[in-house]
Amino acid sequence: MLAILALAAGLTAPPQPRVLTLPTAIELARAAIDACVAKGEHVSAAVVDAQGVPLVVLRDDMSPKPPIAAPRKANAAVVFGEPGSVLEPRQKTDPDFAARLAADPERLNPHAGSLPLRVGTFVVGGLAVADTSHETADRCARAALAQFPQFH
């Protein structure tokens, strides 16, 4: 009832435009793969929306693995609002956190190489790179994100 009254009075905010579109997600994943290829690494990359649902999963044609880890890593960055480089050590020191991750391994991978995508204080998605060392994945994801200042 209050929502109807607020709508009638013009007090509701207009719908926000989608800031993480499919074309942008493709460009972001491509930038992450390109950053790794420049280092001689062949990887996969994923971009997920604010609910952790994959928008795009790309795999370099020379990557040795199927692109399974990247969407899980990107989702973890969204769910927890932190980079994988922060989540990974927490998994080793926080038993409750580790148990939460263990309960949902098909959706959550807390390793370095994943970053939340933010607009202001809001997490609007996640980016992750997988199928290389965690340190290299993190560097590639950060290099790609640097090209998209709207997500800092």
Side-chain angles (χ1 to χ4, degrees), residues 72-74 76-78 80-93 97 101 109-116 127-129 133-142 145:
R72 293 173 183 177
K73 289 170 74 170
V78 168
F80 299 107
E82 296 285 347
S85 59
V86 171
L87 300 175
E88 191 169 0
R90 182 176 168 198
Q91 181 182 20
K92 296 172 185 169
T93 61
F97 181 67
L101 296 169
N109 180 332
H111 295 134
S114 60
L115 301 169
L127 164 67
V129 174
S133 73
H134 296 170
E135 295 78 17
T136 299
D138 193 62
R139 284 193 296 274
C140 295
R142 290 178 188 279
L145 186 57

PDB file of all heavy atoms in Angstrom, residues 72-74 76-78 80-93 97 101 109-116 127-129 133-142 145:
ATOM      1  N   ARG A  72      32.986 -19.001 -10.901  1.00  0.00           N
ATOM      2  CA  ARG A  72      32.879 -19.225  -9.453  1.00  0.00           C
ATOM      3  C   ARG A  72      33.676 -18.174  -8.684  1.00  0.00           C
ATOM      4  O   ARG A  72      33.252 -17.692  -7.631  1.00  0.00           O
ATOM      5  CB  ARG A  72      33.372 -20.629  -9.096  1.00  0.00           C
ATOM      6  CG  ARG A  72      32.486 -21.714  -9.651  1.00  0.00           C
ATOM      7  CD  ARG A  72      33.078 -23.078  -9.441  1.00  0.00           C
ATOM      8  NE  ARG A  72      32.226 -24.101 -10.042  1.00  0.00           N
ATOM      9  CZ  ARG A  72      32.515 -25.381 -10.067  1.00  0.00           C
ATOM     10  NH1 ARG A  72      33.625 -25.821  -9.515  1.00  0.00           N
ATOM     11  NH2 ARG A  72      31.694 -26.235 -10.640  1.00  0.00           N
ATOM     12  N   LYS A  73      34.845 -17.825  -9.208  1.00  0.00           N
ATOM     13  CA  LYS A  73      35.657 -16.800  -8.572  1.00  0.00           C
ATOM     14  C   LYS A  73      34.962 -15.442  -8.649  1.00  0.00           C
ATOM     15  O   LYS A  73      34.926 -14.692  -7.664  1.00  0.00           O
ATOM     16  CB  LYS A  73      37.035 -16.726  -9.241  1.00  0.00           C
ATOM     17  CG  LYS A  73      37.920 -17.924  -8.931  1.00  0.00           C
ATOM     18  CD  LYS A  73      39.176 -17.974  -9.785  1.00  0.00           C
ATOM     19  CE  LYS A  73      40.197 -16.953  -9.382  1.00  0.00           C
ATOM     20  NZ  LYS A  73      41.503 -17.177 -10.065  1.00  0.00           N
ATOM     21  N   ALA A  74      34.402 -15.105  -9.818  1.00  0.00           N
ATOM     22  CA  ALA A  74      33.710 -13.825  -9.976  1.00  0.00           C
ATOM     23  C   ALA A  74      32.500 -13.744  -9.049  1.00  0.00           C
ATOM     24  O   ALA A  74      32.228 -12.703  -8.446  1.00  0.00           O
ATOM     25  CB  ALA A  74      33.292 -13.631 -11.437  1.00  0.00           C
ATOM     26  N   ALA A  76      32.135 -15.264  -6.159  1.00  0.00           N
ATOM     27  CA  ALA A  76      32.609 -15.063  -4.785  1.00  0.00           C
ATOM     28  C   ALA A  76      32.930 -13.593  -4.534  1.00  0.00           C
ATOM     29  O   ALA A  76      32.620 -13.059  -3.459  1.00  0.00           O
ATOM     30  CB  ALA A  76      33.828 -15.938  -4.512  1.00  0.00           C
ATOM     31  N   ALA A  77      33.521 -12.920  -5.522  1.00  0.00           N
ATOM     32  CA  ALA A  77      33.825 -11.491  -5.369  1.00  0.00           C
ATOM     33  C   ALA A  77      32.549 -10.677  -5.176  1.00  0.00           C
ATOM     34  O   ALA A  77      32.524  -9.712  -4.412  1.00  0.00           O
ATOM     35  CB  ALA A  77      34.609 -10.983  -6.577  1.00  0.00           C
ATOM     36  N   VAL A  78      31.473 -11.078  -5.855  1.00  0.00           N
ATOM     37  CA  VAL A  78      30.188 -10.390  -5.711  1.00  0.00           C
ATOM     38  C   VAL A  78      29.556 -10.699  -4.356  1.00  0.00           C
ATOM     39  O   VAL A  78      29.142  -9.799  -3.626  1.00  0.00           O
ATOM     40  CB  VAL A  78      29.215 -10.771  -6.859  1.00  0.00           C
ATOM     41  CG1 VAL A  78      27.809 -10.298  -6.579  1.00  0.00           C
ATOM     42  CG2 VAL A  78      29.717 -10.208  -8.176  1.00  0.00           C
ATOM     43  N   PHE A  80      30.776 -11.675  -1.538  1.00  0.00           N
ATOM     44  CA  PHE A  80      31.468 -11.156  -0.361  1.00  0.00           C
ATOM     45  C   PHE A  80      31.931  -9.710  -0.524  1.00  0.00           C
ATOM     46  O   PHE A  80      32.403  -9.103   0.434  1.00  0.00           O
ATOM     47  CB  PHE A  80      32.635 -12.073   0.003  1.00  0.00           C
ATOM     48  CG  PHE A  80      32.180 -13.464   0.343  1.00  0.00           C
ATOM     49  CD1 PHE A  80      32.397 -14.517  -0.526  1.00  0.00           C
ATOM     50  CD2 PHE A  80      31.488 -13.715   1.521  1.00  0.00           C
ATOM     51  CE1 PHE A  80      31.960 -15.797  -0.227  1.00  0.00           C
ATOM     52  CE2 PHE A  80      31.038 -14.990   1.829  1.00  0.00           C
ATOM     53  CZ  PHE A  80      31.274 -16.034   0.954  1.00  0.00           C
ATOM     54  N   GLY A  81      31.823  -9.171  -1.747  1.00  0.00           N
ATOM     55  CA  GLY A  81      32.197  -7.777  -1.977  1.00  0.00           C
ATOM     56  C   GLY A  81      33.669  -7.489  -1.780  1.00  0.00           C
ATOM     57  O   GLY A  81      34.052  -6.359  -1.501  1.00  0.00           O
ATOM     58  N   GLU A  82      34.491  -8.510  -1.937  1.00  0.00           N
ATOM     59  CA  GLU A  82      35.936  -8.378  -1.722  1.00  0.00           C
ATOM     60  C   GLU A  82      36.690  -9.086  -2.844  1.00  0.00           C
ATOM     61  O   GLU A  82      36.193 -10.066  -3.395  1.00  0.00           O
ATOM     62  CB  GLU A  82      36.345  -9.032  -0.397  1.00  0.00           C
ATOM     63  CG  GLU A  82      35.755  -8.399   0.837  1.00  0.00           C
ATOM     64  CD  GLU A  82      36.408  -7.079   1.208  1.00  0.00           C
ATOM     65  OE1 GLU A  82      37.486  -6.754   0.661  1.00  0.00           O
ATOM     66  OE2 GLU A  82      35.823  -6.366   2.039  1.00  0.00           O
ATOM     67  N   PRO A  83      37.910  -8.642  -3.124  1.00  0.00           N
ATOM     68  CA  PRO A  83      38.733  -9.368  -4.091  1.00  0.00           C
ATOM     69  C   PRO A  83      39.129 -10.743  -3.558  1.00  0.00           C
ATOM     70  O   PRO A  83      39.238 -10.946  -2.347  1.00  0.00           O
ATOM     71  CB  PRO A  83      39.983  -8.496  -4.247  1.00  0.00           C
ATOM     72  CG  PRO A  83      39.710  -7.233  -3.536  1.00  0.00           C
ATOM     73  CD  PRO A  83      38.555  -7.449  -2.619  1.00  0.00           C
ATOM     74  N   GLY A  84      39.363 -11.656  -4.468  1.00  0.00           N
ATOM     75  CA  GLY A  84      39.804 -12.981  -4.077  1.00  0.00           C
ATOM     76  C   GLY A  84      41.105 -12.955  -3.297  1.00  0.00           C
ATOM     77  O   GLY A  84      41.344 -13.806  -2.439  1.00  0.00           O
ATOM     78  N   SER A  85      41.950 -11.955  -3.554  1.00  0.00           N
ATOM     79  CA  SER A  85      43.216 -11.845  -2.822  1.00  0.00           C
ATOM     80  C   SER A  85      42.989 -11.568  -1.338  1.00  0.00           C
ATOM     81  O   SER A  85      43.870 -11.840  -0.518  1.00  0.00           O
ATOM     82  CB  SER A  85      44.101 -10.762  -3.439  1.00  0.00           C
ATOM     83  OG  SER A  85      43.430  -9.510  -3.404  1.00  0.00           O
ATOM     84  N   VAL A  86      41.827 -11.079  -0.972  1.00  0.00           N
ATOM     85  CA  VAL A  86      41.442 -10.886   0.429  1.00  0.00           C
ATOM     86  C   VAL A  86      40.730 -12.131   0.953  1.00  0.00           C
ATOM     87  O   VAL A  86      40.932 -12.553   2.097  1.00  0.00           O
ATOM     88  CB  VAL A  86      40.533  -9.639   0.580  1.00  0.00           C
ATOM     89  CG1 VAL A  86      39.950  -9.530   1.973  1.00  0.00           C
ATOM     90  CG2 VAL A  86      41.291  -8.375   0.206  1.00  0.00           C
ATOM     91  N   LEU A  87      39.904 -12.732   0.105  1.00  0.00           N
ATOM     92  CA  LEU A  87      39.120 -13.896   0.519  1.00  0.00           C
ATOM     93  C   LEU A  87      39.981 -15.138   0.727  1.00  0.00           C
ATOM     94  O   LEU A  87      39.733 -15.926   1.645  1.00  0.00           O
ATOM     95  CB  LEU A  87      38.039 -14.195  -0.520  1.00  0.00           C
ATOM     96  CG  LEU A  87      37.025 -13.084  -0.782  1.00  0.00           C
ATOM     97  CD1 LEU A  87      36.096 -13.488  -1.911  1.00  0.00           C
ATOM     98  CD2 LEU A  87      36.263 -12.742   0.478  1.00  0.00           C
ATOM     99  N   GLU A  88      40.978 -15.317  -0.123  1.00  0.00           N
ATOM    100  CA  GLU A  88      41.793 -16.535  -0.069  1.00  0.00           C
ATOM    101  C   GLU A  88      42.471 -16.727   1.294  1.00  0.00           C
ATOM    102  O   GLU A  88      42.347 -17.798   1.894  1.00  0.00           O
ATOM    103  CB  GLU A  88      42.816 -16.519  -1.204  1.00  0.00           C
ATOM    104  CG  GLU A  88      43.523 -17.819  -1.401  1.00  0.00           C
ATOM    105  CD  GLU A  88      44.317 -17.855  -2.697  1.00  0.00           C
ATOM    106  OE1 GLU A  88      44.345 -16.875  -3.466  1.00  0.00           O
ATOM    107  OE2 GLU A  88      44.923 -18.912  -2.943  1.00  0.00           O
ATOM    108  N   PRO A  89      43.160 -15.707   1.833  1.00  0.00           N
ATOM    109  CA  PRO A  89      43.756 -15.917   3.159  1.00  0.00           C
ATOM    110  C   PRO A  89      42.710 -16.055   4.270  1.00  0.00           C
ATOM    111  O   PRO A  89      42.927 -16.775   5.248  1.00  0.00           O
ATOM    112  CB  PRO A  89      44.633 -14.684   3.387  1.00  0.00           C
ATOM    113  CG  PRO A  89      44.374 -13.756   2.281  1.00  0.00           C
ATOM    114  CD  PRO A  89      43.577 -14.464   1.233  1.00  0.00           C
ATOM    115  N   ARG A  90      41.567 -15.397   4.102  1.00  0.00           N
ATOM    116  CA  ARG A  90      40.496 -15.511   5.096  1.00  0.00           C
ATOM    117  C   ARG A  90      39.996 -16.948   5.193  1.00  0.00           C
ATOM    118  O   ARG A  90      39.658 -17.423   6.284  1.00  0.00           O
ATOM    119  CB  ARG A  90      39.357 -14.563   4.736  1.00  0.00           C
ATOM    120  CG  ARG A  90      38.230 -14.581   5.729  1.00  0.00           C
ATOM    121  CD  ARG A  90      37.170 -13.552   5.368  1.00  0.00           C
ATOM    122  NE  ARG A  90      35.977 -13.781   6.160  1.00  0.00           N
ATOM    123  CZ  ARG A  90      34.791 -13.303   5.859  1.00  0.00           C
ATOM    124  NH1 ARG A  90      34.638 -12.527   4.799  1.00  0.00           N
ATOM    125  NH2 ARG A  90      33.762 -13.569   6.613  1.00  0.00           N
ATOM    126  N   GLN A  91      39.953 -17.637   4.071  1.00  0.00           N
ATOM    127  CA  GLN A  91      39.505 -19.029   4.072  1.00  0.00           C
ATOM    128  C   GLN A  91      40.389 -19.887   4.978  1.00  0.00           C
ATOM    129  O   GLN A  91      39.915 -20.828   5.615  1.00  0.00           O
ATOM    130  CB  GLN A  91      39.526 -19.572   2.646  1.00  0.00           C
ATOM    131  CG  GLN A  91      39.063 -21.007   2.525  1.00  0.00           C
ATOM    132  CD  GLN A  91      39.155 -21.521   1.097  1.00  0.00           C
ATOM    133  OE1 GLN A  91      39.880 -20.987   0.265  1.00  0.00           O
ATOM    134  NE2 GLN A  91      38.409 -22.571   0.815  1.00  0.00           N
ATOM    135  N   LYS A  92      41.654 -19.540   5.075  1.00  0.00           N
ATOM    136  CA  LYS A  92      42.603 -20.320   5.871  1.00  0.00           C
ATOM    137  C   LYS A  92      42.541 -19.984   7.366  1.00  0.00           C
ATOM    138  O   LYS A  92      42.974 -20.791   8.184  1.00  0.00           O
ATOM    139  CB  LYS A  92      44.011 -20.089   5.346  1.00  0.00           C
ATOM    140  CG  LYS A  92      44.195 -20.584   3.920  1.00  0.00           C
ATOM    141  CD  LYS A  92      45.527 -20.187   3.347  1.00  0.00           C
ATOM    142  CE  LYS A  92      45.595 -20.599   1.883  1.00  0.00           C
ATOM    143  NZ  LYS A  92      46.725 -20.036   1.199  1.00  0.00           N
ATOM    144  N   THR A  93      42.018 -18.811   7.698  1.00  0.00           N
ATOM    145  CA  THR A  93      42.048 -18.373   9.102  1.00  0.00           C
ATOM    146  C   THR A  93      40.679 -18.277   9.768  1.00  0.00           C
ATOM    147  O   THR A  93      40.606 -18.136  10.981  1.00  0.00           O
ATOM    148  CB  THR A  93      42.728 -16.998   9.207  1.00  0.00           C
ATOM    149  OG1 THR A  93      41.984 -16.046   8.443  1.00  0.00           O
ATOM    150  CG2 THR A  93      44.173 -17.055   8.713  1.00  0.00           C
ATOM    151  N   PHE A  97      33.912 -18.967   7.783  1.00  0.00           N
ATOM    152  CA  PHE A  97      33.988 -18.568   6.376  1.00  0.00           C
ATOM    153  C   PHE A  97      34.338 -19.779   5.511  1.00  0.00           C
ATOM    154  O   PHE A  97      33.712 -20.011   4.473  1.00  0.00           O
ATOM    155  CB  PHE A  97      35.018 -17.451   6.208  1.00  0.00           C
ATOM    156  CG  PHE A  97      35.165 -16.947   4.806  1.00  0.00           C
ATOM    157  CD1 PHE A  97      34.137 -16.260   4.180  1.00  0.00           C
ATOM    158  CD2 PHE A  97      36.337 -17.153   4.105  1.00  0.00           C
ATOM    159  CE1 PHE A  97      34.275 -15.789   2.882  1.00  0.00           C
ATOM    160  CE2 PHE A  97      36.492 -16.680   2.810  1.00  0.00           C
ATOM    161  CZ  PHE A  97      35.454 -15.993   2.205  1.00  0.00           C
ATOM    162  N   LEU A 101      32.114 -21.554   2.410  1.00  0.00           N
ATOM    163  CA  LEU A 101      32.633 -21.836   1.069  1.00  0.00           C
ATOM    164  C   LEU A 101      32.504 -23.318   0.730  1.00  0.00           C
ATOM    165  O   LEU A 101      32.101 -23.677  -0.376  1.00  0.00           O
ATOM    166  CB  LEU A 101      34.099 -21.411   0.973  1.00  0.00           C
ATOM    167  CG  LEU A 101      34.369 -19.922   1.122  1.00  0.00           C
ATOM    168  CD1 LEU A 101      35.855 -19.681   1.283  1.00  0.00           C
ATOM    169  CD2 LEU A 101      33.798 -19.144  -0.047  1.00  0.00           C
ATOM    170  N   ASN A 109      34.380 -19.690  -5.324  1.00  0.00           N
ATOM    171  CA  ASN A 109      35.805 -20.002  -5.365  1.00  0.00           C
ATOM    172  C   ASN A 109      36.523 -18.726  -4.924  1.00  0.00           C
ATOM    173  O   ASN A 109      36.555 -17.746  -5.668  1.00  0.00           O
ATOM    174  CB  ASN A 109      36.206 -20.409  -6.783  1.00  0.00           C
ATOM    175  CG  ASN A 109      37.671 -20.756  -6.896  1.00  0.00           C
ATOM    176  OD1 ASN A 109      38.502 -20.258  -6.165  1.00  0.00           O
ATOM    177  ND2 ASN A 109      37.986 -21.611  -7.859  1.00  0.00           N
ATOM    178  N   PRO A 110      37.084 -18.707  -3.713  1.00  0.00           N
ATOM    179  CA  PRO A 110      37.616 -17.471  -3.144  1.00  0.00           C
ATOM    180  C   PRO A 110      39.089 -17.199  -3.452  1.00  0.00           C
ATOM    181  O   PRO A 110      39.817 -16.710  -2.599  1.00  0.00           O
ATOM    182  CB  PRO A 110      37.422 -17.704  -1.650  1.00  0.00           C
ATOM    183  CG  PRO A 110      37.726 -19.149  -1.507  1.00  0.00           C
ATOM    184  CD  PRO A 110      37.128 -19.793  -2.741  1.00  0.00           C
ATOM    185  N   HIS A 111      39.547 -17.509  -4.633  1.00  0.00           N
ATOM    186  CA  HIS A 111      40.970 -17.345  -4.932  1.00  0.00           C
ATOM    187  C   HIS A 111      41.275 -16.025  -5.619  1.00  0.00           C
ATOM    188  O   HIS A 111      40.412 -15.419  -6.267  1.00  0.00           O
ATOM    189  CB  HIS A 111      41.459 -18.515  -5.786  1.00  0.00           C
ATOM    190  CG  HIS A 111      41.393 -19.804  -5.046  1.00  0.00           C
ATOM    191  ND1 HIS A 111      40.883 -20.944  -5.595  1.00  0.00           N
ATOM    192  CD2 HIS A 111      41.757 -20.138  -3.779  1.00  0.00           C
ATOM    193  CE1 HIS A 111      40.944 -21.925  -4.717  1.00  0.00           C
ATOM    194  NE2 HIS A 111      41.466 -21.456  -3.604  1.00  0.00           N
ATOM    195  N   ALA A 112      42.530 -15.622  -5.480  1.00  0.00           N
ATOM    196  CA  ALA A 112      42.990 -14.393  -6.119  1.00  0.00           C
ATOM    197  C   ALA A 112      42.755 -14.477  -7.626  1.00  0.00           C
ATOM    198  O   ALA A 112      42.789 -15.553  -8.210  1.00  0.00           O
ATOM    199  CB  ALA A 112      44.462 -14.166  -5.819  1.00  0.00           C
ATOM    200  N   GLY A 113      42.513 -13.316  -8.208  1.00  0.00           N
ATOM    201  CA  GLY A 113      42.178 -13.238  -9.628  1.00  0.00           C
ATOM    202  C   GLY A 113      40.745 -12.818  -9.826  1.00  0.00           C
ATOM    203  O   GLY A 113      40.259 -12.715 -10.946  1.00  0.00           O
ATOM    204  N   SER A 114      40.050 -12.548  -8.719  1.00  0.00           N
ATOM    205  CA  SER A 114      38.653 -12.086  -8.820  1.00  0.00           C
ATOM    206  C   SER A 114      38.522 -10.730  -8.148  1.00  0.00           C
ATOM    207  O   SER A 114      39.168 -10.463  -7.130  1.00  0.00           O
ATOM    208  CB  SER A 114      37.710 -13.092  -8.154  1.00  0.00           C
ATOM    209  OG  SER A 114      38.016 -13.249  -6.790  1.00  0.00           O
ATOM    210  N   LEU A 115      37.686  -9.895  -8.748  1.00  0.00           N
ATOM    211  CA  LEU A 115      37.480  -8.539  -8.247  1.00  0.00           C
ATOM    212  C   LEU A 115      36.008  -8.174  -8.306  1.00  0.00           C
ATOM    213  O   LEU A 115      35.346  -8.455  -9.314  1.00  0.00           O
ATOM    214  CB  LEU A 115      38.246  -7.532  -9.115  1.00  0.00           C
ATOM    215  CG  LEU A 115      39.750  -7.721  -9.217  1.00  0.00           C
ATOM    216  CD1 LEU A 115      40.310  -6.828 -10.315  1.00  0.00           C
ATOM    217  CD2 LEU A 115      40.413  -7.421  -7.883  1.00  0.00           C
ATOM    218  N   PRO A 116      35.495  -7.523  -7.265  1.00  0.00           N
ATOM    219  CA  PRO A 116      34.140  -6.988  -7.388  1.00  0.00           C
ATOM    220  C   PRO A 116      34.176  -5.760  -8.300  1.00  0.00           C
ATOM    221  O   PRO A 116      35.174  -5.032  -8.335  1.00  0.00           O
ATOM    222  CB  PRO A 116      33.775  -6.604  -5.946  1.00  0.00           C
ATOM    223  CG  PRO A 116      35.076  -6.411  -5.252  1.00  0.00           C
ATOM    224  CD  PRO A 116      36.081  -7.278  -5.963  1.00  0.00           C
ATOM    225  N   LEU A 127      34.484  -9.685 -11.793  1.00  0.00           N
ATOM    226  CA  LEU A 127      35.388 -10.111 -12.865  1.00  0.00           C
ATOM    227  C   LEU A 127      36.348 -11.128 -12.277  1.00  0.00           C
ATOM    228  O   LEU A 127      36.818 -10.946 -11.148  1.00  0.00           O
ATOM    229  CB  LEU A 127      36.195  -8.914 -13.382  1.00  0.00           C
ATOM    230  CG  LEU A 127      37.440  -9.232 -14.224  1.00  0.00           C
ATOM    231  CD1 LEU A 127      37.058  -9.861 -15.561  1.00  0.00           C
ATOM    232  CD2 LEU A 127      38.270  -7.982 -14.431  1.00  0.00           C
ATOM    233  N   ALA A 128      36.638 -12.166 -13.020  1.00  0.00           N
ATOM    234  CA  ALA A 128      37.645 -13.122 -12.567  1.00  0.00           C
ATOM    235  C   ALA A 128      38.417 -13.703 -13.733  1.00  0.00           C
ATOM    236  O   ALA A 128      37.894 -13.860 -14.835  1.00  0.00           O
ATOM    237  CB  ALA A 128      37.002 -14.248 -11.768  1.00  0.00           C
ATOM    238  N   VAL A 129      39.655 -14.032 -13.434  1.00  0.00           N
ATOM    239  CA  VAL A 129      40.554 -14.722 -14.352  1.00  0.00           C
ATOM    240  C   VAL A 129      40.958 -16.018 -13.684  1.00  0.00           C
ATOM    241  O   VAL A 129      41.206 -16.052 -12.473  1.00  0.00           O
ATOM    242  CB  VAL A 129      41.804 -13.861 -14.647  1.00  0.00           C
ATOM    243  CG1 VAL A 129      42.804 -14.629 -15.492  1.00  0.00           C
ATOM    244  CG2 VAL A 129      41.403 -12.554 -15.320  1.00  0.00           C
ATOM    245  N   SER A 133      48.400 -19.111 -12.379  1.00  0.00           N
ATOM    246  CA  SER A 133      48.662 -18.927 -10.947  1.00  0.00           C
ATOM    247  C   SER A 133      47.738 -17.833 -10.404  1.00  0.00           C
ATOM    248  O   SER A 133      47.299 -16.938 -11.142  1.00  0.00           O
ATOM    249  CB  SER A 133      50.124 -18.536 -10.707  1.00  0.00           C
ATOM    250  OG  SER A 133      50.344 -17.192 -11.109  1.00  0.00           O
ATOM    251  N   HIS A 134      47.450 -17.907  -9.134  1.00  0.00           N
ATOM    252  CA  HIS A 134      46.567 -16.912  -8.523  1.00  0.00           C
ATOM    253  C   HIS A 134      47.152 -15.513  -8.629  1.00  0.00           C
ATOM    254  O   HIS A 134      46.420 -14.543  -8.864  1.00  0.00           O
ATOM    255  CB  HIS A 134      46.288 -17.263  -7.064  1.00  0.00           C
ATOM    256  CG  HIS A 134      45.549 -18.551  -6.900  1.00  0.00           C
ATOM    257  ND1 HIS A 134      45.365 -19.150  -5.690  1.00  0.00           N
ATOM    258  CD2 HIS A 134      44.946 -19.368  -7.795  1.00  0.00           C
ATOM    259  CE1 HIS A 134      44.691 -20.266  -5.833  1.00  0.00           C
ATOM    260  NE2 HIS A 134      44.436 -20.429  -7.113  1.00  0.00           N
ATOM    261  N   GLU A 135      48.460 -15.399  -8.498  1.00  0.00           N
ATOM    262  CA  GLU A 135      49.106 -14.093  -8.574  1.00  0.00           C
ATOM    263  C   GLU A 135      48.989 -13.513  -9.982  1.00  0.00           C
ATOM    264  O   GLU A 135      48.686 -12.327 -10.151  1.00  0.00           O
ATOM    265  CB  GLU A 135      50.587 -14.208  -8.169  1.00  0.00           C
ATOM    266  CG  GLU A 135      50.797 -14.616  -6.728  1.00  0.00           C
ATOM    267  CD  GLU A 135      50.601 -16.120  -6.471  1.00  0.00           C
ATOM    268  OE1 GLU A 135      50.608 -16.944  -7.436  1.00  0.00           O
ATOM    269  OE2 GLU A 135      50.407 -16.478  -5.295  1.00  0.00           O
ATOM    270  N   THR A 136      49.223 -14.337 -10.995  1.00  0.00           N
ATOM    271  CA  THR A 136      49.101 -13.864 -12.378  1.00  0.00           C
ATOM    272  C   THR A 136      47.655 -13.516 -12.691  1.00  0.00           C
ATOM    273  O   THR A 136      47.381 -12.483 -13.313  1.00  0.00           O
ATOM    274  CB  THR A 136      49.629 -14.929 -13.362  1.00  0.00           C
ATOM    275  OG1 THR A 136      51.015 -15.153 -13.076  1.00  0.00           O
ATOM    276  CG2 THR A 136      49.464 -14.481 -14.806  1.00  0.00           C
ATOM    277  N   ALA A 137      46.718 -14.342 -12.259  1.00  0.00           N
ATOM    278  CA  ALA A 137      45.302 -14.061 -12.484  1.00  0.00           C
ATOM    279  C   ALA A 137      44.920 -12.726 -11.868  1.00  0.00           C
ATOM    280  O   ALA A 137      44.193 -11.929 -12.480  1.00  0.00           O
ATOM    281  CB  ALA A 137      44.445 -15.191 -11.909  1.00  0.00           C
ATOM    282  N   ASP A 138      45.416 -12.461 -10.667  1.00  0.00           N
ATOM    283  CA  ASP A 138      45.106 -11.205  -9.994  1.00  0.00           C
ATOM    284  C   ASP A 138      45.669 -10.018 -10.772  1.00  0.00           C
ATOM    285  O   ASP A 138      44.982  -9.014 -10.975  1.00  0.00           O
ATOM    286  CB  ASP A 138      45.656 -11.226  -8.562  1.00  0.00           C
ATOM    287  CG  ASP A 138      45.100 -10.103  -7.724  1.00  0.00           C
ATOM    288  OD1 ASP A 138      43.869 -10.061  -7.522  1.00  0.00           O
ATOM    289  OD2 ASP A 138      45.893  -9.248  -7.271  1.00  0.00           O
ATOM    290  N   ARG A 139      46.904 -10.134 -11.241  1.00  0.00           N
ATOM    291  CA  ARG A 139      47.506  -9.039 -12.019  1.00  0.00           C
ATOM    292  C   ARG A 139      46.721  -8.789 -13.314  1.00  0.00           C
ATOM    293  O   ARG A 139      46.486  -7.639 -13.695  1.00  0.00           O
ATOM    294  CB  ARG A 139      48.973  -9.338 -12.331  1.00  0.00           C
ATOM    295  CG  ARG A 139      49.885  -9.138 -11.131  1.00  0.00           C
ATOM    296  CD  ARG A 139      51.359  -9.139 -11.521  1.00  0.00           C
ATOM    297  NE  ARG A 139      51.813 -10.414 -12.065  1.00  0.00           N
ATOM    298  CZ  ARG A 139      52.248 -11.431 -11.334  1.00  0.00           C
ATOM    299  NH1 ARG A 139      52.298 -11.331 -10.033  1.00  0.00           N
ATOM    300  NH2 ARG A 139      52.652 -12.545 -11.922  1.00  0.00           N
ATOM    301  N   CYS A 140      46.306  -9.852 -13.986  1.00  0.00           N
ATOM    302  CA  CYS A 140      45.553  -9.695 -15.242  1.00  0.00           C
ATOM    303  C   CYS A 140      44.191  -9.061 -14.987  1.00  0.00           C
ATOM    304  O   CYS A 140      43.765  -8.177 -15.741  1.00  0.00           O
ATOM    305  CB  CYS A 140      45.389 -11.046 -15.930  1.00  0.00           C
ATOM    306  SG  CYS A 140      46.945 -11.780 -16.487  1.00  0.00           S
ATOM    307  N   ALA A 141      43.496  -9.500 -13.948  1.00  0.00           N
ATOM    308  CA  ALA A 141      42.184  -8.924 -13.633  1.00  0.00           C
ATOM    309  C   ALA A 141      42.319  -7.446 -13.287  1.00  0.00           C
ATOM    310  O   ALA A 141      41.528  -6.619 -13.748  1.00  0.00           O
ATOM    311  CB  ALA A 141      41.536  -9.690 -12.480  1.00  0.00           C
ATOM    312  N   ARG A 142      43.328  -7.102 -12.498  1.00  0.00           N
ATOM    313  CA  ARG A 142      43.529  -5.693 -12.120  1.00  0.00           C
ATOM    314  C   ARG A 142      43.910  -4.844 -13.328  1.00  0.00           C
ATOM    315  O   ARG A 142      43.473  -3.695 -13.452  1.00  0.00           O
ATOM    316  CB  ARG A 142      44.558  -5.584 -11.009  1.00  0.00           C
ATOM    317  CG  ARG A 142      44.031  -6.123  -9.684  1.00  0.00           C
ATOM    318  CD  ARG A 142      45.053  -6.063  -8.561  1.00  0.00           C
ATOM    319  NE  ARG A 142      44.573  -6.755  -7.386  1.00  0.00           N
ATOM    320  CZ  ARG A 142      43.726  -6.244  -6.492  1.00  0.00           C
ATOM    321  NH1 ARG A 142      43.260  -5.023  -6.655  1.00  0.00           N
ATOM    322  NH2 ARG A 142      43.342  -6.958  -5.448  1.00  0.00           N
ATOM    323  N   LEU A 145      40.662  -4.280 -15.220  1.00  0.00           N
ATOM    324  CA  LEU A 145      39.793  -3.344 -14.513  1.00  0.00           C
ATOM    325  C   LEU A 145      40.289  -1.910 -14.614  1.00  0.00           C
ATOM    326  O   LEU A 145      39.493  -0.979 -14.671  1.00  0.00           O
ATOM    327  CB  LEU A 145      39.635  -3.765 -13.047  1.00  0.00           C
ATOM    328  CG  LEU A 145      38.644  -2.949 -12.219  1.00  0.00           C
ATOM    329  CD1 LEU A 145      37.255  -2.965 -12.841  1.00  0.00           C
ATOM    330  CD2 LEU A 145      38.615  -3.458 -10.793  1.00  0.00           C
TER     331      LEU A 145
END
